[in-house]
Amino acid sequence: MAFNYHPELLRPYLALSQGTSIQAEYVWIDGDNELRSKSRTITHRVTNLSQLPNWDFDGSSTNQAPGHDSDISLRPVAFYKDPFRGGDNILVLATTYNSDGTPNKTNFRHSAAKTMELAKDAAPWFGLEQEYTLFDLDGKPFGWPKGGFPGPQGPYYCGAGAGKVVARDLIEAHYRACLYAGIRISGINAEVMPSQWEFQVGPCEGISMGDELWLARYLLVRVAEQWGVKVSFHPKPLQGDWNGAGCHTNYSTKQMREPGGIQAINVAIEKLSKRHDEHIAVYGEDNDLRLTGRHETGHISSFSSGVANRGASIRVPRHVAEKGYGYLEDRRPASNIDPYRVTDIIVETTVLDK
Ligand code: ADP
Ligand code: MN
Ligand code: MN
Ligand code: MN
């Protein structure tokens, strides 16, 4: 499909009065762990979630329902300022339910919300490091030399300068779009493989982690659409001596964040070590291609932990070990995780003692 976005032609229309109406873009997770959205007019400004109606869509077109029973309902769970339309327009994050009222098979928020409610006294915080890779429409990593490869990894991570980083304009636009929307994006950096980048969201408490990461992903694919660039969340987008893409999950409870919290961190690591396989099962598709024990990863088949160790499953940051409190980093989750599943199981294991 050709690149057909013309922001300069759109601009005068975005300046037209909307009267008292606003546009609400309902965003949801589809049957392939990707994002979909559609728009509706709301005839008044929205200041509260309860002002947003439920809606529905054709689940047979999104791998979420069979054709004979295809209506899936969308229940709004959060809304954010819309950086594309501006003004009072909003992006609405919605979850999916079947016609009988049960959560759709793709709706992992339903379970995570219950877990977070049960664990709320522990005040679980997360910070996710979303890595991703940009591709052009022909399927080549964006900005890579035609018919060849860039030089080996080394100069690209946090690089500056032509030949070291690509697409900084796109990445910057996404950063601003997140800030405008109210996403708690905490930073961005260029990654080890050229055309691979990372953004971090957090700290976010409980269920809001999954909500904000999904919305930040949505903003990324929408911004990239304007550049005619595809975003891949695959954990090993290129075979060979190129780093894979992860979604490191930084995690703490109230106890861990207080002086002496390193003890609670060590107890949590011990609990995590006993459920390695259960965790790996929800830590992303094709993660075996990434967790090879090379390229700054621990091996998928064994659990390990260590201070400042980037080859371990769990890393305790050096500054945390020195201060004696803070958080841990679970390095196992892949870039294509559903953050609801990952935050759910971490709290289940470490707080609810499943
Ligand atoms: P790395 O050194 O692994 O690259 P980053 O700086 O990319 O780490 O990301 C660290 C993440 O950890 C950020 O999203 C930050 O918000 C989050 N974070 C910081 N403190 C805490 C905490 N106490 N609990 C959970 N997450 C935290
Ligand atoms: Mn990072
Ligand atoms: Mn990284
Ligand atoms: Mn990290």
Side-chain angles (χ1 to χ4, degrees), residues 335-353:
S335 45
N336 59 0
I337 51 163
D338 184 327
Y340 294 128
R341 301 183 84 174
V342 170
T343 56
D344 188 346
I345 195 170
I346 288 178
V347 169
E348 223 183 62
T349 300
T350 62
V351 179
L352 304 183
D353 291 324

Side-chain angles (χ1 to χ4, degrees), residues 239-262:
Q239 294 300 311
D241 223 352
W242 305 105
N243 271 32
C247 194
H248 296 168
T249 301
N250 300 277
Y251 169 63
S252 63
T253 58
K254 187 165 175 290
Q255 227 187 352
M256 297 178 194
R257 294 188 293 271
E258 288 169 354
I262 192 76

Side-chain angles (χ1 to χ4, degrees), residues 278-295:
E278 290 91 330
H279 280 248
I280 288 294
V282 297
Y283 277 11
E285 294 287 312
D286 291 328
N287 205 12
D288 53 318
L289 302 176
R290 164 182 166 260
L291 294 182
T292 56
R294 297 179 62 227
H295 300 113

Side-chain angles (χ1 to χ4, degrees), residues 125-129 157 186 189 198 200-203 248 250-252 257 310 315 326-329 331:
W125 289 8
F126 303 92
L128 295 183
E129 303 170 51
Y157 169 75
S186 49
N189 61 266
E198 167 180 317
Q200 303 100 29
V201 180
H248 296 168
N250 300 277
Y251 169 63
S252 63
R257 294 188 293 271
R310 286 174 200 272
R315 174 176 72 109
Y327 61 96
L328 61 84
E329 177 191 43
R331 299 177 60 80

Side-chain angles (χ1 to χ4, degrees), residues 154-161 164-165 168 188-194 196-198 200:
Y156 310 117
Y157 169 75
C158 298
K164 293 187 189 161
V165 290
R168 198 187 287 280
I188 58 169
N189 61 266
E191 268 304 332
V192 175
M193 180 177 114
Q196 200 167 68
W197 288 82
E198 167 180 317
Q200 303 100 29

